[in-house]
Amino acid sequence: MQAVDSMSIGLDETALEILRNKPLGHIEHQGLDTILGGIRQYLCIVPGGPGTGKTTFMHQIADRWAMGGHPVIVFEGELSRASMLAKSLTRISGGELTYDDMYGGDMSADKRELFDKMVEVYAGSIADRMFIVSGEIEKDGMRQPIEKVAAKYGEPPLVIVDYAQIVALPQDLRTVDERIGLKLVASELRRIVDETHCPLFAISSINRTNYDKQTTGLQAIGGCNMFEYSADIVMSLSIKGNRTEERNSNMILKKRPVIASVTKNRYGSCGVVEFEFDAPAATFCEVK
């Protein structure tokens, strides 16, 4: 039976937990960072439709976090390590080195020199603190690498899960109803944050009925309401536009306007921040 104690039991330690939960650091996007209260122990769900740049957005934050001397773990279920590195190299080069340059076949001597230089920059500023677990994301396989990296660096890593709806259950549970399975995943993400004290961003799909909306509500998170209930923060990404036609036109732009909407924040304020998503440069810039 679970113990039932008054708040006087362990009050001092409980009070200290409040003081310990201070930001581990801050992200480059100042407006959004103010709303989030910096990077700290919380579970943030990042829902969004296709083309909104969810993965690129979180990888950019991850790269900057590693550049700042902090450890990062990315559980990547969609992109290969090479694809993630290519995005980082594009970003480091300011868009001068493009995907087409790297995957187009015959690279010019100048582009190859730039490529080698960007790899060198990545090696010296990001690589040592960036841990990428690619392939199938196992529900029960995330905690151990997080704890291992935390022990190595003396601080919990920034954790990114891409994405929540494809986290795999143990073999004996893979026949359960999908919604029950997603509930188990959401509960595990919550436990990881609570027990390892890491900041965890879980990218999420949205329901198809919300694809054509500028701002998606909490009910738009794909698959299971448990993600909404478990999260401390819900920060959705969507293409800007007052009408469907405007959003569709913006979607195909190389530099497209994207809205980050914080619709749930357990420990702070909610709000909206506008970004320019430069897709060829794999970069988000906050619009002042």
Side-chain angles (χ1 to χ4, degrees), residues 128-147:
D128 284 345
R129 290 173 295 279
M130 178 67 68
F131 298 83
I132 299 173
V133 183
S134 60
E136 184 176 69
I137 306 171
E138 298 180 355
K139 166 185 168 287
D140 295 334
M142 292 184 282
R143 186 185 304 257
Q144 185 175 0
I146 291 171
E147 292 174 342

Side-chain angles (χ1 to χ4, degrees), residues 1 3 10 23 36 41 64 67 103 118 126 139 143-144 149 159 199 207 213 215-216 223 225 238 240 252 255 257 276:
M1 176 183 252
L36 297 179
Q41 177 187 334
R64 288 285 187 171
M67 285 180 177
Y103 286 101
M118 293 305 100
I126 296 175
K139 166 185 168 287
R143 186 185 304 257
Q144 185 175 0
V149 171
V159 179
N207 300 320
K213 295 180 180 179
T215 302
T216 54
N225 290 336
S238 53
K240 183 181 179 181
I252 62 176
K255 294 184 178 181
E276 180 184 73

